[in-house]
Amino acid sequence: MNTKTRDFPLYPKEVTNDFLSKCFGESVISFELDTSMTAGGVLADAFRVFNIKYDKVNELPTSCFVKCTKEIPEVVELCLATQVYAKEVYFYSTLIKKVKDVIRVPECYGIFKDENDEECKEFCLVLEDFDQENWMPFDQFDNPMDYEDTSMLMRDLGLFHAACWHEPVTDEPGLGPYKAHWQSLNDNFWDDEGTAWDQVLPKWEEVYGEELLSLVNSDVKETILKINEIYISDNGKVIQESLIEELQKRPRTITHGDARGNNIFKSNDGNTIGIIDWQMWAAGPASNEFSQLWFNSYSLESGMIHKLEELTKVYYTSLTDSNPDIKASYPFDLLMEDTKLIFINMWIQYVGFTLGSIEGYKDPEQEKSKANWREMMKRNMETVHYSGSLEAFKKFISSKGLG
C-alpha cells in the first residue's frame, strides 16, 4: 500500500484536521503534536495529539494517542512474525467488548488498516489519552507500584480473567494453542554457535565491563547456573516442549501478557487501575499474566518478590469470587506452580532478548537504555531465585520422568 491510496496516518506529519474529524465525528480546526515518546516505542510508533479544537463547543476528547506501524523495517518483520500488530488490532476491534466492563483500558476512537491487509502491516489506532489530569503513570524505576497499587492491579486482573475464562481455541490472532508471546526465543536457545547463554556471557562482559552473574549474590548465581545446566542437558529441548504442552492443558483465559509497571496507570482519585499496550496479549493459562509483572516492576530491595504468594492470593480470591467454579478446575497451588514455571520460561526469553539487543547498547546514545537493561536482568535473576522457580521446575521435570 502506498500513501496515495492509504487514507490514514503512519507518521505524525500525516495527521490532519480531516483525519481527526473522521475519528471524532465533529469538525476539527486545529491540534498540536507531541512526538517525544515515539523513539521509546519498541514495537510500534506512538505519539500524542493534544489541544484538539473543534469548530463547535462539545464534550469530545481534546487529546488522543495515535499508535501505528514502527518505522524500522526489521522491527516490523519481527512484529509480523509474532502477530503483534494483528493482535492489537483484534483486541481493540473485538476483545475490548468483552473486557472493558471489568478492567479499565483506553477507549478506541478509530481503527485503520487496509481491508486486505490481514497482517496489519500498516495500521493506525486512535486511542484514549490517559492524561495527567486524570491518571498517574507508574514507572518501573522512578515511580514503581507499591503493595496497595499491586493489590488493586491483582484484583482487577482477577475480574478480567474471570470474564474471559474458557476462551476457546480459534484461528484468530492470539487465540491459537497457547505459547508464550516470545516463545521463538526459547526455541532458538540452541543453535549452531552454541546456546544463547554461552553467547550472551562474553558479549555482556564486552559491553558492560563486568560479568553478568556479578550483578547478583552467590545464591542467585547458583540458581541461574542450575537452570542453564537443565537447558543444556540432553533432555533440554524435550523439557522445554513438555513445559508448553503442560501449560496448554490448563483452562484458558485472555491475559494482557505485559502487565508491568510502565503499562499501568492509576486514576488520580486512587480508585481505578488502567492498563495500556495490548499488543502482547495471549490466550492461555492465567499464570501467563505474571512473569512480566514480577520480572520488571520491582527491585529486590522493595521486598515485593517475597509477597508473591500473598499477592497472588489477592488475585485468586478476586478470580474465584467472580467465578466460583474455577476453584475446582484450577486450584491455587497449581496456579502458583504454573506461575513459577512460566518464570523459568520467561528467563530464557530474556537471555534471548539480551543476545539480540546487546550490540545496540554500544551506542553512546543508548546509555540510559543500557543502564535500564542491566537493572532488568538483575531483577529477572533475583525474581527467578526468590520465587522458588527452580524448585518448581525440578518438580515438574521429575513428574514427567525427564530428570
Side-chain angles (χ1 to χ4, degrees):
M1 194 191 310
N2 57 52
T3 54
K4 291 183 179 179
T5 58
R6 175 167 48 80
D7 62 353
F8 56 88
L10 291 182
Y11 315 104
K13 64 183 180 183
E14 295 179 346
V15 177
T16 64
N17 289 338
D18 287 344
F19 173 73
L20 294 174
S21 299
K22 180 165 60 174
C23 293
F24 297 112
E26 286 286 350
S27 178
V28 171
I29 58 175
S30 67
F31 61 90
E32 295 182 60
L33 293 172
D34 176 5
T35 61
S36 61
M37 70 289 291
T38 301
V42 177
L43 303 179
D45 284 333
F47 51 92
R48 184 171 178 256
V49 182
F50 68 105
N51 257 357
I52 300 173
K53 298 188 184 300
Y54 302 88
D55 66 348
K56 297 178 182 178
V57 176
N58 57 55
E59 298 298 320
L60 292 171
T62 58
S63 65
C64 63
F65 207 72
V66 178
K67 192 167 188 178
C68 49
T69 307
K70 191 72 179 173
E71 198 167 355
I72 303 171
E74 293 82 0
V75 174
V76 173
E77 291 307 311
L78 174 64
C79 290
L80 295 180
T82 52
Q83 297 185 306
V84 164
Y85 298 153
K87 283 169 65 176
E88 189 151 32
V89 168
Y90 184 76
F91 176 83
Y92 280 109
S93 65
T94 304
L95 288 182
I96 192 172
K97 302 179 183 71
K98 181 179 290 189
V99 308
K100 67 179 182 179
D101 292 335
V102 291
I103 195 165
R104 186 67 165 85
V105 301
E107 292 287 342
C108 184
Y109 305 130
I111 301 173
F112 302 90
K113 61 181 277 298
D114 184 84
E115 61 181 10
N116 298 317
D117 181 13
E118 294 183 1
E119 295 181 307
C120 302
K121 187 171 185 177
E122 292 185 329
F123 79 97
C124 174
L125 298 174
V126 182
L127 303 170
E128 176 186 2
D129 176 25
F130 279 3
D131 60 276
Q132 292 184 356
E133 291 182 11
N134 299 294
W135 296 91
M136 179 192 73
F138 290 104
D139 182 275
Q140 292 158 195
F141 302 106
D142 298 329
N143 183 34
M145 294 182 288
D146 62 19
Y147 182 90
E148 291 304 319
D149 299 324
T150 307
S151 294
M152 286 180 62
L153 174 61
M154 287 295 197
R155 286 191 288 270
D156 284 357
L157 289 174
L159 296 174
F160 162 43
H161 291 172
C164 302
W165 206 252
H166 290 311
E167 185 68 32
V169 176
T170 74
D171 293 331
E172 297 289 351
L175 293 177
Y178 169 71
K179 280 195 173 183
H181 184 80
W182 298 109
Q183 191 64 35
S184 60
L185 294 173
N186 298 66
D187 298 338
N188 293 331
F189 182 78
W190 308 267
D191 64 25
D192 294 338
E193 297 182 35
T195 69
W197 176 253
D198 292 334
Q199 295 173 65
V200 157
L201 291 180
K203 287 181 179 292
W204 184 278
E205 193 163 0
E206 177 187 352
V207 172
Y208 284 92
E210 60 185 344
E211 295 181 359
L212 174 58
L213 290 172
S214 71
L215 304 182
V216 295
N217 65 38
S218 58
D219 291 339
V220 177
K221 176 179 178 179
E222 183 179 1
T223 291
I224 298 302
L225 290 174
K226 285 181 177 177
I227 292 170
N228 186 61
E229 287 175 8
I230 292 171
Y231 266 84
I232 65 174
S233 70
D234 292 341
N235 284 338
K237 290 185 179 181
V238 177
I239 290 169
Q240 170 66 32
E241 292 168 1
S242 181
L243 173 59
I244 296 302
E245 289 173 2
E246 183 68 20
L247 292 169
Q248 289 176 345
K249 299 175 184 178
R250 303 293 186 258
R252 283 163 56 92
T253 187
I254 301 297
T255 59
H256 179 278
D258 197 18
R260 56 193 172 88
N262 281 26
N263 287 335
I264 311 301
F265 288 69
K266 182 168 68 173
S267 61
N268 285 341
D269 62 13
N271 295 327
T272 306
I273 290 290
I275 306 183
I276 65 168
D277 275 5
W278 289 82
Q279 58 197 12
M280 284 177 57
W281 67 267
S287 50
N288 183 70
E289 195 70 87
F290 303 114
S291 52
Q292 282 287 82
L293 168 62
W294 287 98
F295 273 40
N296 284 261
S297 303
Y298 315 104
S299 66
L300 179 62
E301 292 72 24
S302 72
M304 290 291 288
I305 187 56
H306 302 302
K307 297 179 172 62
L308 171 64
E309 183 168 346
E310 181 181 333
L311 283 161
T312 305
K313 284 181 178 177
V314 173
Y315 159 81
Y316 192 75
T317 298
S318 174
L319 177 75
T320 54
D321 282 353
S322 299
N323 185 346
D325 293 341
I326 292 174
K327 286 186 177 181
S329 63
Y330 201 38
F332 178 77
D333 288 346
L334 185 55
L335 166 66
M336 282 301 303
E337 291 299 296
D338 286 351
T339 298
K340 294 173 184 179
L341 291 177
I342 291 184
F343 281 3
I344 296 285
N345 202 56
M346 178 59 76
W347 163 244
I348 299 301
Q349 290 180 40
Y350 269 99
V351 173
F353 268 124
T354 302
L355 182 60
S357 63
I358 196 166
E359 285 292 325
Y361 295 141
K362 293 180 178 179
D363 183 349
E365 294 186 5
Q366 299 298 321
E367 193 63 33
K368 183 176 180 180
S369 295
K370 175 184 173 182
N372 286 351
W373 193 255
R374 178 184 183 277
E375 173 63 18
M376 292 317 314
M377 290 296 281
K378 178 177 184 291
R379 291 183 183 187
N380 296 344
M381 291 187 282
E382 291 168 340
T383 298
V384 168
H385 173 74
Y386 289 104
S387 64
S389 294
L390 176 58
E391 290 73 18
F393 196 32
K394 287 180 177 178
K395 181 180 175 181
F396 169 77
I397 294 167
S398 177
S399 73
K400 296 300 178 182
L402 298 171

